Amino acid sequence: MTDIAVTAEARWLAYRREFPIFERVTYFNSCSLGALSRRVAAAVRRFTDLWDARGAAAWYGPWLDEVEQLRSRFASLIGATPEEVAIFPSVTAALTAVASCFDYRSRPGVVLSELEFPTTVYQWLAKVPAGVRLQTLPSQEKMTVALDAYERAIGPDTQLVVGSHVYFTSGVIQDIAALAHFAHAKGAYCLIDAYQSIGQVPVNVRDTGVDFLVTGGLKWLLGGPGIAYLYVRREVTALMHPTDVGWFAHRRQFDFDITRWDDADGARRFEGGTPAVAAVYAGRAGLEIVTEIGAQALRERQIEHVRHLVLAAEQAGLHPRVSGPVDQLAGILTIPRPNPKAVVAALAEQGVIIDHRPGLIRLSPYFYNTIEDCDRVVQAIAELEQQRIA
Ligand SMILES: Cc1ncc(COP(=O)(O)O)c(C=O)c1O
């Protein structure tokens, strides 16, 4: 290693020490849940300390302030303004608010793919009896969805195009600017599920042109459960009047006026009820680590890890799923296995934490992992294979 590489690695190792889980196990499952850092644990303690010290007075001072700090920090990570960001307890809640804006009688079509995360599909599948016409695009190799399939499927009755930025079962990065372009060409809106990308893949929402983008704290933003984000493009917000809303979406929330509904300015008009403040504290501390390192540096680290993992897995005869250039994969690598659950359980007994999805084991490194972690995971899977457990 050169001197520069040694210094860079020392910096990564300093970050790794912020995550106590690595003192016990080889954690390789960030696409399910990012590891807990000491910073996030301390932030949650700060939240309970304030609750204890100030009671309800914590609300109007530090707690609501923390919500706004979180909004601004997230907005700057994706190249948006705070007015373009709404905060939710889950991606599902954000999708519900967005889905409530449309008149499906005039344009019933929703185009999505078979590679979406189920909650995204359910949002519109459950509306089929009410008139939504769902078009679910197939994926040839279950790795990605061809762009021309979108271009062909989107038509004059398409209300919304829904796509993933990074597919949760393949790790492939989709061209979301192209999806937005195809949607807009036919007068439809474009919503991107970026839960598996924001944090590990740099995104500037203005450059992509997408209308809506959702993500959350669970995975690459290191904030744990209970916090999700919705970006709504400024020009689109003014056209949207969500009907699935709560008092945080009202323009004059603290007037307690129940005679008149008035949308708040900006993306806040999509919000619901009281935010999950413990999760807001956790979310901000997690985001702080991500923004401190920087999305570009995170991506470069991920590319190194994924390249190494693919090579090591191929050399071990494990047949990882890769289609197209390796650098189009984010930090998710899947390997087909007849009994993925048994592999995950056997590895967990050895202190190696990975994940499974139907027919697949799923490996997901992040910046706090090392090349040695990648080798350890591959070797442990290869050994199970030799023992015929895998
Ligand atoms: C791509 C993707 N979208 C959505 C979700 C979940 O969304 P929600 O916050 O509604 O549970 C996940 C994982 O949990 C995911 O991987």
Side-chain angles (χ1 to χ4, degrees), residues 7 26 73 117 188 198-199 201-202 211 219 242 283 328 335 364 387:
T7 316
T26 304
R73 193 173 278 269
F117 190 83
I198 304 292
V201 180
D211 302 300
K219 306 160 195 298
Q328 270 174 22
I335 304 178
S364 54
Q387 296 158 24

Side-chain angles (χ1 to χ4, degrees), residues 324-354:
V326 172
D327 291 359
Q328 270 174 22
L329 286 177
I332 298 177
L333 188 69
T334 50
I335 304 178
R337 277 293 166 275
N339 192 351
K341 228 173 164 173
V343 179
V344 171
L347 289 188
E349 276 179 27
Q350 304 174 30
V352 174
I353 311 301
I354 64 162

Side-chain angles (χ1 to χ4, degrees), residues 98-298:
V98 173
S100 76
C101 294
F102 303 117
D103 181 354
Y104 299 101
R105 287 167 307 184
S106 54
R107 288 177 87 115
V110 175
V111 174
L112 42 72
S113 85
E114 63 168 325
L115 295 188
E116 308 313 320
F117 190 83
T119 208
T120 322
V121 181
Y122 297 158
Q123 182 63 234
W124 285 281
L125 186 58
K127 292 178 177 62
V128 168
V132 163
R133 197 169 55 75
L134 203 59
Q135 249 179 299
T136 309
L137 304 179
S139 161
Q140 294 292 322
E141 296 176 320
K142 314 283 183 231
M143 292 295 287
T144 190
V145 183
L147 287 177
D148 56 4
Y150 283 97
E151 200 173 12
R152 279 196 305 275
I154 302 166
D157 72 344
T158 305
Q159 181 74 250
L160 188 65
V161 177
V162 179
S164 291
H165 190 198
V166 168
Y167 293 108
F168 80 106
T169 47
S170 73
V172 173
I173 302 172
Q174 179 58 281
D175 182 350
I176 57 175
L179 297 197
H181 173 74
F182 294 144
H184 293 164
K186 296 282 167 58
Y189 293 103
C190 176
L191 180 148
I192 298 301
D193 178 353
Y195 217 144
Q196 292 293 0
S197 73
I198 304 292
Q200 64 156 336
V201 180
V203 174
N204 182 307
V205 276
R206 299 298 304 180
D207 291 349
T208 66
V210 305
D211 302 300
F212 306 93
L213 179 141
V214 287
T215 185
L218 268 185
K219 306 160 195 298
W220 311 101
L221 295 180
L222 305 173
I227 197 78
Y229 309 93
L230 166 68
Y231 156 79
V232 187
R233 191 156 64 88
R234 194 182 317 126
E235 297 79 353
V236 167
T237 306
L239 307 172
M240 298 289 147
H241 303 286
T243 55
D244 191 302
V245 288
W247 65 310
F248 277 67
H250 198 281
R251 180 181 292 269
R252 294 173 308 282
Q253 176 184 7
F254 292 107
D255 281 3
F256 298 94
D257 172 7
I258 61 159
T259 62
R260 199 183 136 94
W261 176 255
D262 230 346
D263 292 308
D265 275 338
R268 245 198 60 208
R269 67 177 55 187
F270 288 82
E271 289 186 350
T274 305
V277 184
V280 167
Y281 273 76
R284 180 148 98 98
L287 258 181
E288 186 182 281
I289 298 175
V290 168
T291 51
E292 196 175 279
I293 298 173
Q296 196 51 44
L298 286 166

Side-chain angles (χ1 to χ4, degrees), residues 28-29 343-344 347 352-356 361-363 377 381:
F28 223 68
N29 193 10
V343 179
V344 171
L347 289 188
V352 174
I353 311 301
I354 64 162
D355 192 17
H356 62 86
I361 52 173
R362 207 168 56 148
L363 319 179
V377 171
I381 300 167

Side-chain angles (χ1 to χ4, degrees), residues 70-93:
L70 177 71
R71 196 190 305 276
S72 298
R73 193 173 278 269
F74 175 75
S76 73
L77 175 67
I78 60 165
T81 62
E83 294 71 34
E84 292 175 304
V85 172
I87 290 175
F88 291 89
S90 70
V91 155
T92 303

